[in-house]
Amino acid sequence: MTNKPRPVYLNGEWRDAETARVSVFDRGYLFGDGVYEVIPAFAGRLFGLDEHMARLSRSLAAIGITEPMGRDEWKAVFDRLLAGIDAPDAAIYLQVTRGAPAKRDHAWPGSEVPAGVMATVSPIGSIAGGARVITLPDARWARCDIKSINLLPNTMARQQALEKGCDEAVLVRDGLVMEGAATNLFAVIGDRLVTAPTGPSLLAGITRGLLLDLVRREQLVEAEESFITESALREADEVFLTSSTKDLWPVVEIDGQPVGSGAHAGRAGPITRQLDQHFQALKHPQGSSR
């Protein structure tokens, strides 16, 4: 990849990463008052675009921001971003805030203040090996289904994991496993694939949803959406995380203890590997191109 500046779309104008600036009065900066999406592109092909844009619309509606652009306008921005980066796989980050009124005030500004819109792109790197995770109490707010830019509890949890030499924090609420700090979680328990149901307590991950659809369509394994207890997670045969930039990421250790038993202890299990093969085929349909 070359070192040319990455393009940035900012409030209707094109900048590069070195010159793009937002107002100090932008409510995203002052209050975390906004939402975001991360949309992956593999071999230049946007993946899960419809699902990501539908989630963006839901998040915007949930916090009362009118969607500032139509689907064709968004797509034109994304295409230009992808054309401006020399990487086979990339992730588009887009953010919409409640804009930049003239003064700081907790009350929402009127409709005369336009939403703040920013979109940029960065390469997706590969992941080597399995994930080591820790479990932590879930200290987030009660509307985790909104993809809010206000991610302080998530960043604190991830930092705790990193300080313990691990990769991710798994968040537990009232003894039930919710998700990771920036991932969804699946467990293989017996002959079932189990993940927490969507609702206010966790984010409906796009990779999570696409994987469930694939599993059910191809009848790969029995899939169940129900909460996993913390004790059941520790006894699970296999565990993996999902996200738009990490696909299926096997968990090999939880709080210092290996996942699984026997020959597969501390390694990606057979069901995880099988599901990942099918998911990779979904990502890279034969003959696809941008």
Side-chain angles (χ1 to χ4, degrees):
M1 187 178 69
T2 65
N3 292 322
K4 70 179 182 180
R6 284 180 289 147
V8 176
Y9 177 85
L10 182 61
N11 297 328
E13 298 181 350
W14 286 95
R15 297 279 188 262
D16 60 53
E18 285 69 29
T19 62
R21 299 289 185 272
V22 298
S23 168
V24 295
F25 295 108
D26 188 285
R27 289 178 61 90
Y29 173 72
L30 293 175
F31 296 106
D33 188 358
V35 300
Y36 74 103
E37 276 294 330
V38 178
I39 307 172
F42 303 108
R45 173 178 171 266
L46 289 164
F47 182 69
L49 177 62
D50 290 344
E51 291 83 358
H52 280 283
M53 298 312 294
R55 186 173 64 181
L56 175 69
S57 297
R58 291 195 301 272
S59 292
L60 287 168
I63 66 170
I65 295 179
T66 300
E67 190 156 354
M69 299 169 65
R71 177 63 60 89
D72 290 343
E73 294 173 290
W74 283 122
K75 183 62 165 53
V77 169
F78 301 157
D79 287 343
R80 181 163 171 176
L81 288 171
L82 291 175
I85 186 169
D86 297 326
D89 299 332
I92 289 171
Y93 177 88
L94 70 94
Q95 177 172 297
V96 182
T97 73
R98 207 177 301 277
K103 59 176 276 189
R104 182 184 183 276
D105 192 330
H106 281 65
W108 293 357
S111 58
E112 72 279 359
V113 176
V117 180
M118 188 274 287
T120 187
V121 64
S122 58
I124 296 176
S126 60
I127 297 174
R132 301 169 64 205
V133 307
I134 61 171
T135 55
L136 290 174
D138 190 351
R140 301 171 300 166
W141 71 322
R143 289 300 309 274
C144 297
D145 55 314
I146 299 172
K147 200 167 176 67
S148 164
I149 62 174
N150 201 330
L151 294 171
L152 182 59
N154 305 65
T155 65
M156 293 174 67
R158 173 65 67 80
Q159 185 62 28
Q160 285 185 254
L162 295 177
E163 289 174 357
K164 291 181 178 292
C166 294
D167 303 292
E168 176 65 303
V170 171
L171 306 176
V172 180
R173 186 177 299 186
D174 298 326
L176 302 178
V177 176
M178 298 294 116
E179 57 189 341
T183 53
N184 289 118
L185 181 141
F186 287 79
V188 177
I189 301 174
D191 58 356
R192 296 173 297 126
L193 179 67
V194 187
T195 190
T198 57
S201 59
L202 73 153
L203 185 70
I206 302 305
T207 300
R208 171 195 179 278
L210 292 172
L211 178 64
L212 283 173
D213 290 344
L214 174 66
V215 164
R216 289 162 174 161
R217 184 172 64 250
E218 302 295 333
Q219 299 182 341
L220 300 175
V221 63
E222 181 182 348
E224 177 182 316
E225 294 179 75
S226 62
F227 285 110
I228 305 165
T229 65
E230 186 175 358
S231 59
L233 178 69
R234 300 184 189 281
E235 298 297 322
D237 300 297
E238 303 176 35
V239 178
F240 61 86
L241 307 170
T242 60
S243 80
S244 290
T245 58
K246 294 180 173 63
D247 296 343
L248 279 65
W249 193 9
V251 174
V252 298
E253 183 182 294
I254 301 174
D255 291 328
Q257 299 299 312
V259 173
S261 59
H264 300 295
R267 302 171 56 189
I271 292 178
T272 301
R273 295 197 304 271
Q274 177 198 26
L275 296 181
D276 184 61
Q277 289 176 353
H278 283 270
F279 192 77
Q280 295 308 313
L282 181 67
K283 279 174 50 180
H284 301 286
Q286 190 172 13
S288 68
S289 62
R290 177 158 26 121

